[in-house]
Amino acid sequence: MRWLAALLTAVMAHLAVASAAQADAVNTGHLSAELVPEAQGIAPGQTIHVALRQKIQPGWHTYWRNAGDSGEPTRLTWTLPAGWKAGEFIWPTPKRLPVGPLVNYGYEDEVLLPVPVSAPADARPGERVTLKAAAAFLVCKEICVPEDAALQITLPVTPAAAPLDPKWGRPIEASVAAAPKPAGLAAVFEKTAKGLVLAVTGGPLKGADLHDAYFYPYDSTVIDHAKPQAAERGPDGLTLTLTPGYAFQGASPPKSLAGVLAVDDAAYEITAGPGAPPAGAAGLGPPAARGKGGGADFGLVSAAVFAFLGGLILNLMPCVFPVLAMKAASLAGHGGREEAQARRHGLAFGVGVLVTFMGLAGLLIGLKAAGSAIGWGFQLQSPPVVAVLALLMLAIALDLSGVFEVGTSLQGLGAGLASRGGLIGDVFTGALAVVVAAPCTAPFMGTAIGWALTQSPAAGLAVFLALGVGFALPFVLVTFWPGLLTRLPKPGPWMDVFRKALAFPMYGAAAWLAWVLTLQAGASALARILIAAIVLGLAAWLAGLAQRSAAAGRRPLTTGGAAALLALAAVAAVIWPAYAETPMADGAGAKTAEAASEPYSPERLAALRAEGKPVFVNYTAAWCVSCQVNDRVVLSTAPVVKAMKANGISYLKADWTKRDPVIAGELARFGRAGVPLYLVYGANGGEPAILPAILTQGMVIKALETAARKS
């Protein structure tokens, strides 16, 4: 009889599977909803997943378990036969949905929300069971519409586990597998002056990409959802700096933070308790955004090559023009002279470049590891540094004008004594070239630096070394090229005229830095820098008198001492006391009459994008010469301004003249460590187009027209 029982069981199983699950989709107005099964049947005592499938109209969305700033999550109320059980939704990782100044969490297009459903142990194989559920949705676009659907699904009870449903089995399995789960991660949070610091460490995060890291809280009141979440990587995990929400303003702030940490292509459920962030959760800088120029696919060799090319091109950028004058004077001094001596001068210049690059890189990496939101050119965000550099440029210009003499090489130029050496002067020239090059970012360079600042200190220093080699190489090669050196004019009286002519680019650099200082610290700073410049000029004149007295055989101790004291006083006057902070009036202080712009903020950008407007975002700074050149020769020209108006482009300026952690975070999100950065967001949404660091009118106009085009 056993064979007969087995035969009957097989027949029942076949019949049950043949009569597969049945469900009808319901159109609620802005979405189509239905219950779909993971398997073709369910065995007694078995648990399978039944998913609520939402097929949402384009442009509309529904909500996650925490809707964010507004909205309501989808709800499902079951009506089940006796003994049957249904669990809670297994929520997939949501998307961020910016709407005006708000940010919501939810789903667009199509989503499966699996629910575990269990059959009782006494369910009878061969019967068909109908499971009913009332679904409630809040479907939103510009407006929100509450919609309902009465759903049901009929499942056959099978003697044993049934095969996967041919249509929905694999998608539901994938949805369950990809849903956020606990992964043994350790999480702590701490409220600080910077915000709510959430640190997460553990196996899955060690060495992971960690780009686009984001924390989705289960409680809608614990953070401000619309504020950026600044991320920093560490060897063991990452740290997110959040903006506390209403829950932290009460007398009893939350004791825990629970939610989903989304990183790379994975998501994990975490529950953080109060505590200080561990050391392994930070120190490696912000993660780079994948596919935006500084992403995780960028290796050390590629970054070094990009840095080398960027360093070569940096020699052609406008910020280096003043120092080109000094280079030209130095090269002229080698014309027709001994080759070995020229090579020594070239190598000394290279040493000055490399030592200064490595010093700046070490300081930059160290400050970022300490938590500062800074990038390339960070030193020029400090008014005292800008003021001292302005005085330095003025001093060099006075020297080139012959008011006084510094260094043996300059003495040689001034008196035509070409035989005298001056290696220290060449080292100084190399160092100065790096300092004044900081406001510029050449093509390839921004990508390489952005990558370097997200890596280990050794990798970062290697990239900066490649950048310095590329920057120094052209000048050094010229000194090793005897044929070229022999074509240079021989030293003579003409060099004194040439030298004095080259002083004027340095005067221009000093004036430009004074202008930057006034943008940073206001009109009172202008008075300080002008007075200091006059005192420095007096010091230079006294120094010249002292030098001429010394050349005549006298000992001008009083005059020389007075010159030194006045120079020190001028420098001290622009360093102390501290400069008062003043708000930036309009972008980089260079708002043009034609190109109307608004100050950038993440909230304003989100609002414009939510309205479906194309947006051009200009990340700039007053001290960034490349930015100012692009503004003057491209962005403020009539054809580009006309293209902005004709295509309805909203123009936002993200001014980084002063330190701004929000802008620094946005630059890092696109793999950049400095300005300029130009983003063009299209009217159809999606990721922005990234324009090169050197703009042309045609390039910008084409990008604006493409952004305004709606499909």
Side-chain angles (χ1 to χ4, degrees):
M1 295 298 290
R2 289 182 178 176
W3 65 271
L4 181 57
L7 178 61
L8 290 174
T9 300
V11 171
M12 291 173 62
H14 174 76
L15 292 175
V17 171
S19 56
Q22 295 179 353
D24 295 324
V26 176
N27 190 332
T28 65
H30 295 97
L31 62 79
S32 174
E34 62 181 321
L35 296 174
V36 294
E38 180 182 24
Q40 298 182 45
I42 183 170
Q46 186 189 9
T47 297
I48 67 169
H49 293 98
V50 173
L52 171 61
R53 175 187 179 239
Q54 301 175 25
K55 179 66 175 176
I56 307 167
Q57 285 186 355
W60 293 75
H61 61 265
T62 58
Y63 294 94
W64 187 53
R65 58 180 293 179
N66 168 18
D69 284 318
S70 63
E72 288 289 337
T74 296
R75 304 186 188 283
L76 203 60
T77 304
W78 292 91
T79 301
L80 303 174
W84 289 73
K85 295 180 180 177
E88 302 294 331
F89 281 134
I90 299 175
W91 297 92
T93 306
K95 295 180 179 178
R96 280 162 277 172
L97 303 168
V99 181
L102 308 179
V103 169
N104 297 325
Y105 305 136
Y107 309 100
E108 297 174 314
D109 300 326
E110 181 176 352
V111 64
L112 291 172
L113 302 179
V115 177
V117 171
S118 300
D122 59 356
R124 290 185 298 179
E127 69 177 357
R128 296 175 62 81
V129 176
T130 298
L131 311 178
K132 298 180 179 179
F137 317 96
L138 186 62
V139 196
C140 297
K141 192 177 180 183
E142 285 85 4
I143 61 172
C144 289
V145 181
E147 297 180 354
D148 301 288
L151 306 174
Q152 66 178 32
I153 184 172
T154 300
L155 291 173
V157 179
T158 56
L164 288 178
D165 184 272
K167 183 176 182 180
W168 299 111
R170 295 297 181 193
I172 292 177
E173 278 192 337
S175 181
V176 173
K181 302 177 184 62
L185 296 173
V188 295
F189 72 92
E190 182 180 42
K191 190 178 179 186
T192 69
K194 294 182 178 179
L196 194 62
V197 177
L198 172 65
V200 188
T201 55
L205 302 184
K206 291 183 178 179
D209 187 346
L210 303 184
H211 79 279
D212 288 340
Y214 196 88
F215 175 64
Y216 297 91
Y218 290 152
D219 187 331
S220 64
T221 64
V222 294
I223 68 169
D224 186 333
H225 308 286
K227 293 293 190 297
Q229 298 187 2
E232 182 173 359
R233 296 186 311 130
D236 300 326
L238 84 166
T239 298
L240 292 173
T241 301
L242 317 171
T243 301
Y246 298 121
F248 281 90
Q249 297 177 5
S252 302
K255 303 297 182 185
S256 66
L257 284 182
V260 170
L261 175 68
V263 293
D264 197 0
D265 296 322
Y268 310 98
E269 283 189 327
I270 60 171
T271 299
L284 298 181
R290 174 175 289 176
K292 295 186 177 72
D297 296 334
F298 212 60
L300 176 59
V301 175
S302 299
V305 171
F306 270 49
F308 177 77
L309 294 174
L312 285 175
I313 300 173
L314 189 60
N315 284 279
L316 305 177
M317 304 305 287
C319 51
V320 194
F321 285 169
V323 180
L324 286 179
M326 299 184 68
K327 288 184 181 182
S330 179
L331 276 175
H334 295 305
R337 292 165 59 180
E338 183 184 352
E339 294 176 7
Q341 187 179 18
R343 291 170 183 169
R344 285 196 294 272
H345 284 283
L347 290 175
F349 173 83
V351 169
V353 168
L354 294 183
V355 169
T356 309
F357 254 117
M358 298 309 288
L360 274 178
L363 183 60
L364 178 58
I365 292 172
L367 289 174
K368 287 195 71 71
S372 297
I374 57 175
W376 180 244
F378 68 97
Q379 69 274 22
L380 291 171
Q381 293 173 329
S382 167
V385 171
V386 172
V388 171
L389 280 178
L391 293 183
L392 178 60
M393 295 297 169
L394 176 62
I396 293 172
L398 292 171
D399 169 69
L400 292 174
S401 294
V403 177
F404 74 113
E405 306 285 349
V406 173
T408 53
S409 64
L410 297 178
Q411 288 176 3
L413 279 172
L417 301 176
S419 60
R420 300 183 67 172
L423 295 181
I424 298 300
D426 288 305
V427 173
F428 172 77
T429 304
L432 185 65
V434 176
V435 171
V436 300
C440 274
T441 301
F444 304 107
M445 181 179 159
T447 302
I449 293 180
W451 182 89
L453 294 179
T454 63
Q455 308 303 311
S456 65
L461 289 174
V463 172
F464 276 97
L465 181 63
L467 181 64
V469 170
F471 185 63
L473 190 60
F475 184 83
V476 176
L477 279 183
V478 166
T479 61
F480 275 73
W481 201 297
L484 182 58
L485 282 176
T486 57
R487 296 183 182 181
L488 293 175
K490 293 183 181 298
W494 66 270
M495 292 176 57
D496 186 54
V497 177
F498 182 51
R499 173 195 174 201
K500 289 178 178 174
L502 292 178
F504 290 94
M506 307 305 290
Y507 285 122
W512 162 64
L513 287 167
W515 171 73
V516 172
L517 179 65
T518 60
L519 293 179
Q520 293 175 326
S524 61
L526 179 62
R528 287 175 64 177
I529 193 67
L530 290 179
I531 292 173
I534 293 171
V535 173
L536 184 67
L538 176 60
W541 177 68
L542 290 176
L545 287 180
Q547 289 171 336
R548 284 188 284 275
S549 296
R554 295 188 291 272
R555 300 182 63 184
L557 295 179
T558 303
T559 309
L565 289 175
L566 287 172
L568 290 174
V571 173
V574 297
I575 294 178
W576 187 87
Y579 290 89
E581 290 288 331
T582 57
M584 299 296 293
D586 50 15
K591 184 177 179 180
T592 65
E594 299 85 0
S597 64
E598 300 178 62
Y600 164 85
S601 72
E603 294 80 10
R604 183 58 182 153
L605 175 60
L608 291 171
R609 297 194 66 196
E611 295 172 9
K613 293 184 177 179
V615 185
F616 181 88
V617 185
N618 176 5
Y619 293 84
T620 183
W623 41 261
C624 168
V625 178
S626 300
C627 306
Q628 300 307 315
V629 171
N630 282 330
D631 277 351
R632 298 295 187 277
V633 304
V634 177
L635 298 179
S636 296
T637 58
V640 172
V641 173
K642 183 178 179 181
M644 286 191 177
K645 293 180 179 177
N647 293 285
I649 304 293
S650 297
Y651 183 18
L652 300 181
K653 278 190 176 180
D655 190 344
W656 208 41
T657 302
K658 298 179 183 177
R659 289 189 182 183
D660 187 325
V662 174
I663 294 177
E666 284 297 293
L667 291 170
R669 198 165 71 84
F670 288 92
R672 302 301 173 90
V675 289
L677 173 65
Y678 304 102
L679 303 180
V680 185
Y681 290 87
N684 292 320
E687 293 295 314
I690 302 176
L691 302 186
I694 299 177
L695 300 178
T696 65
Q697 286 186 3
M699 171 199 307
V700 174
I701 292 172
K702 183 178 179 181
L704 298 179
E705 292 174 346
T706 302
R709 198 175 301 133
K710 293 190 175 180
S711 57

